[in-house]
Amino acid sequence: MSDCIFCKIASKEAKSNVVYEDDTVIAFRDLDPKAPEHILIIPKKHIDSLNELDNSDKELASHILVDVIPKVARDLSIDKSGFRIVVNTGDDGGQTVNHLHFHMLGGRTMTWPPG
Ligand code: AMP
């Protein structure tokens, strides 16, 4: 069995506050929110990071971008006010959980550049 916490969340072995789920993707609230709305959107299958996405993942990647992100934004009512998607990748990217995840942050005005 995988030690990956996000695999455990996807399989319901670990608890999370789910806001969206389908056959291939699950979205849940971040434990340590950095904005009034902070959701993590992940593929259910284990992919270490953006670096490990390959040609066989094109449908999954477009599903997340074209279907899931807009739906979650609408459901949280942040589609009109705006939101930020962040994919921390690798050490310099600040990735701490090695299972690909899209942070969705909203409900406040974001600043730029990020730290
Ligand atoms: P990153 O630093 O980009 O890898 O983001 C990992 C995120 O996962 C952080 O924002 C953590 O707060 C969040 N996180 C870690 N464990 C859990 C968990 N069990 N449930 C929800 N969020 C988590």
Side-chain angles (χ1 to χ4, degrees):
M1 185 50 75
S2 165
D3 277 341
C4 172
I5 181 62
F6 287 0
C7 283
K8 288 182 175 161
I9 285 173
S11 68
K12 308 287 168 61
E13 203 185 321
K15 279 199 181 153
S16 71
N17 191 337
V18 176
V19 299
Y20 172 87
E21 182 172 13
D22 63 31
D23 287 348
T24 57
V25 176
I26 188 165
F28 50 93
R29 293 193 176 278
D30 197 292
L31 264 187
D32 181 20
K34 308 297 188 298
E37 300 290 1
H38 187 173
I39 306 299
L40 300 172
I41 299 167
I42 69 166
K44 285 186 173 176
K45 83 164 185 174
H46 186 90
I47 300 172
D48 276 352
S49 80
L50 265 191
N51 277 330
E52 282 73 32
L53 268 183
D54 64 30
N55 273 328
S56 69
D57 298 313
K58 276 186 177 169
E59 197 176 322
L60 175 63
S62 83
H63 176 50
I64 291 173
L65 285 176
V66 175
D67 304 318
V68 180
I69 286 174
K71 176 170 174 39
V72 172
R74 280 195 304 273
D75 289 352
L76 296 174
S77 301
I78 56 173
D79 54 321
K80 303 261 186 326
S81 51
F83 55 89
R84 180 172 290 173
I85 297 293
V86 174
V87 187
N88 296 327
T89 305
D91 290 343
D92 280 359
Q95 184 174 4
T96 60
V97 177
N98 292 326
H99 180 130
L100 175 63
H101 50 281
F102 295 73
H103 293 261
M104 172 179 276
L105 299 141
R108 68 167 169 84
T109 303
M110 303 294 151
T111 57
W112 191 263

PDB file of all heavy atoms in Angstrom, residues 5-6 9 14-16 28-34 38 40 86-89 93-99 101 103, ligand 1:
ATOM      1  N   ILE A   5      -0.070  10.324   1.087  1.00  0.00           N
ATOM      2  CA  ILE A   5      -1.280  10.803   1.763  1.00  0.00           C
ATOM      3  C   ILE A   5      -2.379  11.145   0.762  1.00  0.00           C
ATOM      4  O   ILE A   5      -3.570  10.913   1.034  1.00  0.00           O
ATOM      5  CB  ILE A   5      -0.961  11.990   2.712  1.00  0.00           C
ATOM      6  CG1 ILE A   5      -2.217  12.471   3.444  1.00  0.00           C
ATOM      7  CG2 ILE A   5      -0.316  13.144   1.981  1.00  0.00           C
ATOM      8  CD1 ILE A   5      -2.865  11.452   4.345  1.00  0.00           C
ATOM      9  N   PHE A   6      -2.028  11.671  -0.409  1.00  0.00           N
ATOM     10  CA  PHE A   6      -3.080  12.031  -1.366  1.00  0.00           C
ATOM     11  C   PHE A   6      -3.669  10.777  -2.031  1.00  0.00           C
ATOM     12  O   PHE A   6      -4.862  10.760  -2.353  1.00  0.00           O
ATOM     13  CB  PHE A   6      -2.565  13.034  -2.400  1.00  0.00           C
ATOM     14  CG  PHE A   6      -2.379  14.433  -1.846  1.00  0.00           C
ATOM     15  CD1 PHE A   6      -2.660  14.738  -0.530  1.00  0.00           C
ATOM     16  CD2 PHE A   6      -1.911  15.461  -2.664  1.00  0.00           C
ATOM     17  CE1 PHE A   6      -2.485  16.026  -0.014  1.00  0.00           C
ATOM     18  CE2 PHE A   6      -1.741  16.748  -2.170  1.00  0.00           C
ATOM     19  CZ  PHE A   6      -2.021  17.033  -0.838  1.00  0.00           C
ATOM     20  N   ILE A   9      -6.164   9.743   0.474  1.00  0.00           N
ATOM     21  CA  ILE A   9      -7.370  10.578   0.390  1.00  0.00           C
ATOM     22  C   ILE A   9      -8.216  10.133  -0.797  1.00  0.00           C
ATOM     23  O   ILE A   9      -9.445   9.980  -0.694  1.00  0.00           O
ATOM     24  CB  ILE A   9      -6.984  12.073   0.312  1.00  0.00           C
ATOM     25  CG1 ILE A   9      -6.523  12.545   1.703  1.00  0.00           C
ATOM     26  CG2 ILE A   9      -8.142  12.919  -0.207  1.00  0.00           C
ATOM     27  CD1 ILE A   9      -5.954  13.951   1.749  1.00  0.00           C
ATOM     28  N   ALA A  14      -7.874   7.842   3.983  1.00  0.00           N
ATOM     29  CA  ALA A  14      -7.670   9.006   4.855  1.00  0.00           C
ATOM     30  C   ALA A  14      -8.829   9.977   4.630  1.00  0.00           C
ATOM     31  O   ALA A  14      -9.348  10.088   3.519  1.00  0.00           O
ATOM     32  CB  ALA A  14      -6.346   9.683   4.532  1.00  0.00           C
ATOM     33  N   LYS A  15      -9.192  10.654   5.717  1.00  0.00           N
ATOM     34  CA  LYS A  15     -10.322  11.582   5.648  1.00  0.00           C
ATOM     35  C   LYS A  15      -9.943  12.885   4.964  1.00  0.00           C
ATOM     36  O   LYS A  15      -8.809  13.356   5.085  1.00  0.00           O
ATOM     37  CB  LYS A  15     -10.806  11.909   7.064  1.00  0.00           C
ATOM     38  CG  LYS A  15     -11.689  10.847   7.635  1.00  0.00           C
ATOM     39  CD  LYS A  15     -12.506  11.417   8.792  1.00  0.00           C
ATOM     40  CE  LYS A  15     -13.385  10.303   9.378  1.00  0.00           C
ATOM     41  NZ  LYS A  15     -13.684  10.542  10.779  1.00  0.00           N
ATOM     42  N   SER A  16     -10.887  13.482   4.280  1.00  0.00           N
ATOM     43  CA  SER A  16     -10.692  14.828   3.743  1.00  0.00           C
ATOM     44  C   SER A  16     -12.058  15.440   3.561  1.00  0.00           C
ATOM     45  O   SER A  16     -13.080  14.740   3.620  1.00  0.00           O
ATOM     46  CB  SER A  16      -9.935  14.791   2.414  1.00  0.00           C
ATOM     47  OG  SER A  16     -10.763  14.257   1.406  1.00  0.00           O
ATOM     48  N   PHE A  28     -10.470  18.483  -2.685  1.00  0.00           N
ATOM     49  CA  PHE A  28     -10.778  18.556  -1.252  1.00  0.00           C
ATOM     50  C   PHE A  28     -10.135  19.810  -0.659  1.00  0.00           C
ATOM     51  O   PHE A  28      -9.217  20.400  -1.253  1.00  0.00           O
ATOM     52  CB  PHE A  28     -10.269  17.288  -0.524  1.00  0.00           C
ATOM     53  CG  PHE A  28      -8.834  16.944  -0.824  1.00  0.00           C
ATOM     54  CD1 PHE A  28      -7.803  17.396   0.001  1.00  0.00           C
ATOM     55  CD2 PHE A  28      -8.500  16.199  -1.940  1.00  0.00           C
ATOM     56  CE1 PHE A  28      -6.476  17.090  -0.274  1.00  0.00           C
ATOM     57  CE2 PHE A  28      -7.169  15.895  -2.235  1.00  0.00           C
ATOM     58  CZ  PHE A  28      -6.163  16.340  -1.405  1.00  0.00           C
ATOM     59  N   ARG A  29     -10.616  20.192   0.503  1.00  0.00           N
ATOM     60  CA  ARG A  29     -10.104  21.411   1.149  1.00  0.00           C
ATOM     61  C   ARG A  29      -8.714  21.175   1.729  1.00  0.00           C
ATOM     62  O   ARG A  29      -8.459  20.127   2.335  1.00  0.00           O
ATOM     63  CB  ARG A  29     -11.062  21.871   2.249  1.00  0.00           C
ATOM     64  CG  ARG A  29     -12.381  22.345   1.683  1.00  0.00           C
ATOM     65  CD  ARG A  29     -13.240  23.099   2.678  1.00  0.00           C
ATOM     66  NE  ARG A  29     -14.438  23.573   1.986  1.00  0.00           N
ATOM     67  CZ  ARG A  29     -14.488  24.679   1.249  1.00  0.00           C
ATOM     68  NH1 ARG A  29     -13.424  25.450   1.155  1.00  0.00           N
ATOM     69  NH2 ARG A  29     -15.605  25.025   0.623  1.00  0.00           N
ATOM     70  N   ASP A  30      -7.829  22.159   1.528  1.00  0.00           N
ATOM     71  CA  ASP A  30      -6.495  22.090   2.114  1.00  0.00           C
ATOM     72  C   ASP A  30      -6.608  22.162   3.637  1.00  0.00           C
ATOM     73  O   ASP A  30      -7.386  22.958   4.181  1.00  0.00           O
ATOM     74  CB  ASP A  30      -5.627  23.240   1.579  1.00  0.00           C
ATOM     75  CG  ASP A  30      -4.150  23.006   1.814  1.00  0.00           C
ATOM     76  OD1 ASP A  30      -3.727  23.023   2.993  1.00  0.00           O
ATOM     77  OD2 ASP A  30      -3.425  22.812   0.827  1.00  0.00           O
ATOM     78  N   LEU A  31      -5.808  21.343   4.315  1.00  0.00           N
ATOM     79  CA  LEU A  31      -5.791  21.310   5.792  1.00  0.00           C
ATOM     80  C   LEU A  31      -5.354  22.634   6.395  1.00  0.00           C
ATOM     81  O   LEU A  31      -5.733  22.958   7.515  1.00  0.00           O
ATOM     82  CB  LEU A  31      -4.766  20.274   6.255  1.00  0.00           C
ATOM     83  CG  LEU A  31      -5.184  18.867   6.613  1.00  0.00           C
ATOM     84  CD1 LEU A  31      -3.975  18.130   7.198  1.00  0.00           C
ATOM     85  CD2 LEU A  31      -6.322  18.896   7.626  1.00  0.00           C
ATOM     86  N   ASP A  32      -4.515  23.347   5.694  1.00  0.00           N
ATOM     87  CA  ASP A  32      -3.900  24.574   6.207  1.00  0.00           C
ATOM     88  C   ASP A  32      -4.141  25.686   5.185  1.00  0.00           C
ATOM     89  O   ASP A  32      -3.231  26.063   4.447  1.00  0.00           O
ATOM     90  CB  ASP A  32      -2.398  24.300   6.415  1.00  0.00           C
ATOM     91  CG  ASP A  32      -1.660  25.491   6.962  1.00  0.00           C
ATOM     92  OD1 ASP A  32      -2.309  26.397   7.531  1.00  0.00           O
ATOM     93  OD2 ASP A  32      -0.426  25.549   6.792  1.00  0.00           O
ATOM     94  N   PRO A  33      -5.380  26.173   5.125  1.00  0.00           N
ATOM     95  CA  PRO A  33      -5.756  27.076   4.024  1.00  0.00           C
ATOM     96  C   PRO A  33      -4.991  28.400   4.017  1.00  0.00           C
ATOM     97  O   PRO A  33      -4.764  29.005   5.064  1.00  0.00           O
ATOM     98  CB  PRO A  33      -7.255  27.312   4.250  1.00  0.00           C
ATOM     99  CG  PRO A  33      -7.536  26.876   5.640  1.00  0.00           C
ATOM    100  CD  PRO A  33      -6.486  25.888   6.035  1.00  0.00           C
ATOM    101  N   LYS A  34      -4.584  28.827   2.820  1.00  0.00           N
ATOM    102  CA  LYS A  34      -3.853  30.079   2.635  1.00  0.00           C
ATOM    103  C   LYS A  34      -4.751  31.168   2.078  1.00  0.00           C
ATOM    104  O   LYS A  34      -4.281  32.252   1.726  1.00  0.00           O
ATOM    105  CB  LYS A  34      -2.678  29.864   1.672  1.00  0.00           C
ATOM    106  CG  LYS A  34      -1.766  28.696   2.028  1.00  0.00           C
ATOM    107  CD  LYS A  34      -1.076  28.878   3.376  1.00  0.00           C
ATOM    108  CE  LYS A  34      -0.012  27.820   3.652  1.00  0.00           C
ATOM    109  NZ  LYS A  34      -0.498  26.451   3.730  1.00  0.00           N
ATOM    110  N   HIS A  38      -9.477  27.396  -0.307  1.00  0.00           N
ATOM    111  CA  HIS A  38      -8.215  26.756  -0.699  1.00  0.00           C
ATOM    112  C   HIS A  38      -8.498  25.271  -0.901  1.00  0.00           C
ATOM    113  O   HIS A  38      -8.675  24.517   0.064  1.00  0.00           O
ATOM    114  CB  HIS A  38      -7.140  26.978   0.365  1.00  0.00           C
ATOM    115  CG  HIS A  38      -5.779  26.491  -0.046  1.00  0.00           C
ATOM    116  ND1 HIS A  38      -4.649  26.724   0.706  1.00  0.00           N
ATOM    117  CD2 HIS A  38      -5.351  25.779  -1.118  1.00  0.00           C
ATOM    118  CE1 HIS A  38      -3.592  26.179   0.102  1.00  0.00           C
ATOM    119  NE2 HIS A  38      -4.011  25.590  -1.010  1.00  0.00           N
ATOM    120  N   LEU A  40      -7.532  21.620  -3.049  1.00  0.00           N
ATOM    121  CA  LEU A  40      -6.517  20.853  -3.783  1.00  0.00           C
ATOM    122  C   LEU A  40      -7.246  19.934  -4.759  1.00  0.00           C
ATOM    123  O   LEU A  40      -8.148  19.195  -4.358  1.00  0.00           O
ATOM    124  CB  LEU A  40      -5.664  20.031  -2.819  1.00  0.00           C
ATOM    125  CG  LEU A  40      -4.890  20.849  -1.776  1.00  0.00           C
ATOM    126  CD1 LEU A  40      -4.233  19.918  -0.761  1.00  0.00           C
ATOM    127  CD2 LEU A  40      -3.835  21.732  -2.450  1.00  0.00           C
ATOM    128  N   VAL A  86      -2.183  27.126  -8.592  1.00  0.00           N
ATOM    129  CA  VAL A  86      -0.739  27.002  -8.355  1.00  0.00           C
ATOM    130  C   VAL A  86      -0.385  25.519  -8.387  1.00  0.00           C
ATOM    131  O   VAL A  86      -1.078  24.698  -7.769  1.00  0.00           O
ATOM    132  CB  VAL A  86      -0.365  27.592  -6.972  1.00  0.00           C
ATOM    133  CG1 VAL A  86       1.101  27.346  -6.652  1.00  0.00           C
ATOM    134  CG2 VAL A  86      -0.687  29.078  -6.911  1.00  0.00           C
ATOM    135  N   VAL A  87       0.667  25.194  -9.108  1.00  0.00           N
ATOM    136  CA  VAL A  87       1.159  23.805  -9.125  1.00  0.00           C
ATOM    137  C   VAL A  87       2.633  23.832  -8.715  1.00  0.00           C
ATOM    138  O   VAL A  87       3.528  23.992  -9.558  1.00  0.00           O
ATOM    139  CB  VAL A  87       0.987  23.144 -10.511  1.00  0.00           C
ATOM    140  CG1 VAL A  87       1.353  21.660 -10.423  1.00  0.00           C
ATOM    141  CG2 VAL A  87      -0.434  23.304 -11.032  1.00  0.00           C
ATOM    142  N   ASN A  88       2.879  23.754  -7.432  1.00  0.00           N
ATOM    143  CA  ASN A  88       4.260  23.723  -6.949  1.00  0.00           C
ATOM    144  C   ASN A  88       4.909  22.437  -7.446  1.00  0.00           C
ATOM    145  O   ASN A  88       4.338  21.352  -7.307  1.00  0.00           O
ATOM    146  CB  ASN A  88       4.282  23.774  -5.421  1.00  0.00           C
ATOM    147  CG  ASN A  88       3.728  25.069  -4.881  1.00  0.00           C
ATOM    148  OD1 ASN A  88       3.867  26.121  -5.495  1.00  0.00           O
ATOM    149  ND2 ASN A  88       3.062  25.009  -3.733  1.00  0.00           N
ATOM    150  N   THR A  89       6.092  22.580  -8.032  1.00  0.00           N
ATOM    151  CA  THR A  89       6.747  21.420  -8.661  1.00  0.00           C
ATOM    152  C   THR A  89       8.210  21.343  -8.241  1.00  0.00           C
ATOM    153  O   THR A  89       8.969  22.299  -8.468  1.00  0.00           O
ATOM    154  CB  THR A  89       6.635  21.530 -10.206  1.00  0.00           C
ATOM    155  OG1 THR A  89       5.251  21.667 -10.557  1.00  0.00           O
ATOM    156  CG2 THR A  89       7.205  20.296 -10.883  1.00  0.00           C
ATOM    157  N   GLY A  93      10.173  24.663  -6.507  1.00  0.00           N
ATOM    158  CA  GLY A  93       8.758  25.042  -6.629  1.00  0.00           C
ATOM    159  C   GLY A  93       8.026  24.989  -5.306  1.00  0.00           C
ATOM    160  O   GLY A  93       6.874  25.425  -5.220  1.00  0.00           O
ATOM    161  N   GLY A  94       8.669  24.444  -4.278  1.00  0.00           N
ATOM    162  CA  GLY A  94       8.036  24.387  -2.957  1.00  0.00           C
ATOM    163  C   GLY A  94       7.087  23.212  -2.784  1.00  0.00           C
ATOM    164  O   GLY A  94       6.245  23.215  -1.885  1.00  0.00           O
ATOM    165  N   GLN A  95       7.234  22.180  -3.615  1.00  0.00           N
ATOM    166  CA  GLN A  95       6.347  21.021  -3.509  1.00  0.00           C
ATOM    167  C   GLN A  95       6.699  20.214  -2.267  1.00  0.00           C
ATOM    168  O   GLN A  95       7.864  19.837  -2.073  1.00  0.00           O
ATOM    169  CB  GLN A  95       6.480  20.145  -4.761  1.00  0.00           C
ATOM    170  CG  GLN A  95       5.514  18.966  -4.769  1.00  0.00           C
ATOM    171  CD  GLN A  95       5.557  18.174  -6.079  1.00  0.00           C
ATOM    172  OE1 GLN A  95       6.358  18.448  -6.966  1.00  0.00           O
ATOM    173  NE2 GLN A  95       4.670  17.208  -6.195  1.00  0.00           N
ATOM    174  N   THR A  96       5.709  19.961  -1.413  1.00  0.00           N
ATOM    175  CA  THR A  96       5.956  19.178  -0.197  1.00  0.00           C
ATOM    176  C   THR A  96       5.255  17.822  -0.231  1.00  0.00           C
ATOM    177  O   THR A  96       5.650  16.919   0.502  1.00  0.00           O
ATOM    178  CB  THR A  96       5.503  19.935   1.073  1.00  0.00           C
ATOM    179  OG1 THR A  96       4.108  20.202   0.973  1.00  0.00           O
ATOM    180  CG2 THR A  96       6.264  21.242   1.232  1.00  0.00           C
ATOM    181  N   VAL A  97       4.211  17.687  -1.034  1.00  0.00           N
ATOM    182  CA  VAL A  97       3.529  16.389  -1.193  1.00  0.00           C
ATOM    183  C   VAL A  97       3.763  15.929  -2.628  1.00  0.00           C
ATOM    184  O   VAL A  97       3.376  16.616  -3.579  1.00  0.00           O
ATOM    185  CB  VAL A  97       2.017  16.493  -0.891  1.00  0.00           C
ATOM    186  CG1 VAL A  97       1.341  15.154  -1.149  1.00  0.00           C
ATOM    187  CG2 VAL A  97       1.780  16.941   0.543  1.00  0.00           C
ATOM    188  N   ASN A  98       4.410  14.774  -2.762  1.00  0.00           N
ATOM    189  CA  ASN A  98       4.821  14.322  -4.095  1.00  0.00           C
ATOM    190  C   ASN A  98       3.730  13.520  -4.794  1.00  0.00           C
ATOM    191  O   ASN A  98       3.915  12.356  -5.162  1.00  0.00           O
ATOM    192  CB  ASN A  98       6.122  13.532  -4.001  1.00  0.00           C
ATOM    193  CG  ASN A  98       7.275  14.444  -3.616  1.00  0.00           C
ATOM    194  OD1 ASN A  98       7.314  15.615  -3.995  1.00  0.00           O
ATOM    195  ND2 ASN A  98       8.198  13.929  -2.834  1.00  0.00           N
ATOM    196  N   HIS A  99       2.580  14.151  -4.929  1.00  0.00           N
ATOM    197  CA  HIS A  99       1.455  13.632  -5.721  1.00  0.00           C
ATOM    198  C   HIS A  99       0.884  14.882  -6.382  1.00  0.00           C
ATOM    199  O   HIS A  99       0.467  15.818  -5.675  1.00  0.00           O
ATOM    200  CB  HIS A  99       0.435  12.951  -4.799  1.00  0.00           C
ATOM    201  CG  HIS A  99      -0.763  12.370  -5.481  1.00  0.00           C
ATOM    202  ND1 HIS A  99      -1.210  11.076  -5.260  1.00  0.00           N
ATOM    203  CD2 HIS A  99      -1.647  12.908  -6.371  1.00  0.00           C
ATOM    204  CE1 HIS A  99      -2.288  10.833  -5.988  1.00  0.00           C
ATOM    205  NE2 HIS A  99      -2.584  11.945  -6.662  1.00  0.00           N
ATOM    206  N   HIS A 101      -0.781  18.000  -7.603  1.00  0.00           N
ATOM    207  CA  HIS A 101      -1.978  18.674  -7.096  1.00  0.00           C
ATOM    208  C   HIS A 101      -2.009  20.105  -7.589  1.00  0.00           C
ATOM    209  O   HIS A 101      -0.974  20.766  -7.705  1.00  0.00           O
ATOM    210  CB  HIS A 101      -2.045  18.633  -5.564  1.00  0.00           C
ATOM    211  CG  HIS A 101      -0.797  19.071  -4.866  1.00  0.00           C
ATOM    212  ND1 HIS A 101       0.308  18.243  -4.740  1.00  0.00           N
ATOM    213  CD2 HIS A 101      -0.466  20.243  -4.264  1.00  0.00           C
ATOM    214  CE1 HIS A 101       1.259  18.883  -4.075  1.00  0.00           C
ATOM    215  NE2 HIS A 101       0.821  20.114  -3.790  1.00  0.00           N
ATOM    216  N   HIS A 103      -3.384  23.647  -6.595  1.00  0.00           N
ATOM    217  CA  HIS A 103      -3.990  24.478  -5.560  1.00  0.00           C
ATOM    218  C   HIS A 103      -4.966  25.436  -6.242  1.00  0.00           C
ATOM    219  O   HIS A 103      -4.594  26.094  -7.227  1.00  0.00           O
ATOM    220  CB  HIS A 103      -2.944  25.354  -4.870  1.00  0.00           C
ATOM    221  CG  HIS A 103      -1.931  24.620  -4.043  1.00  0.00           C
ATOM    222  ND1 HIS A 103      -2.023  24.506  -2.673  1.00  0.00           N
ATOM    223  CD2 HIS A 103      -0.775  23.998  -4.389  1.00  0.00           C
ATOM    224  CE1 HIS A 103      -0.966  23.841  -2.204  1.00  0.00           C
ATOM    225  NE2 HIS A 103      -0.197  23.522  -3.230  1.00  0.00           N
TER     226      HIS A 103
HETATM  227  P1  AMP B   1       2.611  21.650  -1.725  1.00  0.00           P
HETATM  228  O1  AMP B   1       3.438  22.339  -0.689  1.00  0.00           O
HETATM  229  O2  AMP B   1       2.366  22.443  -2.968  1.00  0.00           O
HETATM  230  O3  AMP B   1       3.125  20.261  -2.013  1.00  0.00           O
HETATM  231  O4  AMP B   1       1.164  21.517  -1.101  1.00  0.00           O
HETATM  232  C1  AMP B   1       0.783  20.492  -0.251  1.00  0.00           C
HETATM  233  C2  AMP B   1      -0.472  20.962   0.428  1.00  0.00           C
HETATM  234  O5  AMP B   1      -1.119  19.840   0.949  1.00  0.00           O
HETATM  235  C3  AMP B   1      -0.259  21.941   1.567  1.00  0.00           C
HETATM  236  O6  AMP B   1      -0.978  23.150   1.311  1.00  0.00           O
HETATM  237  C4  AMP B   1      -0.809  21.198   2.778  1.00  0.00           C
HETATM  238  O7  AMP B   1      -1.470  22.054   3.677  1.00  0.00           O
HETATM  239  C5  AMP B   1      -1.765  20.221   2.138  1.00  0.00           C
HETATM  240  N1  AMP B   1      -2.023  18.992   2.857  1.00  0.00           N
HETATM  241  C6  AMP B   1      -1.108  18.112   3.346  1.00  0.00           C
HETATM  242  N2  AMP B   1      -1.725  17.054   3.897  1.00  0.00           N
HETATM  243  C7  AMP B   1      -3.061  17.266   3.731  1.00  0.00           C
HETATM  244  C8  AMP B   1      -4.230  16.529   4.085  1.00  0.00           C
HETATM  245  N3  AMP B   1      -4.153  15.353   4.731  1.00  0.00           N
HETATM  246  N4  AMP B   1      -5.439  17.057   3.759  1.00  0.00           N
HETATM  247  C9  AMP B   1      -5.523  18.236   3.126  1.00  0.00           C
HETATM  248  N5  AMP B   1      -4.465  18.969   2.762  1.00  0.00           N
HETATM  249  C10 AMP B   1      -3.256  18.496   3.065  1.00  0.00           C
END
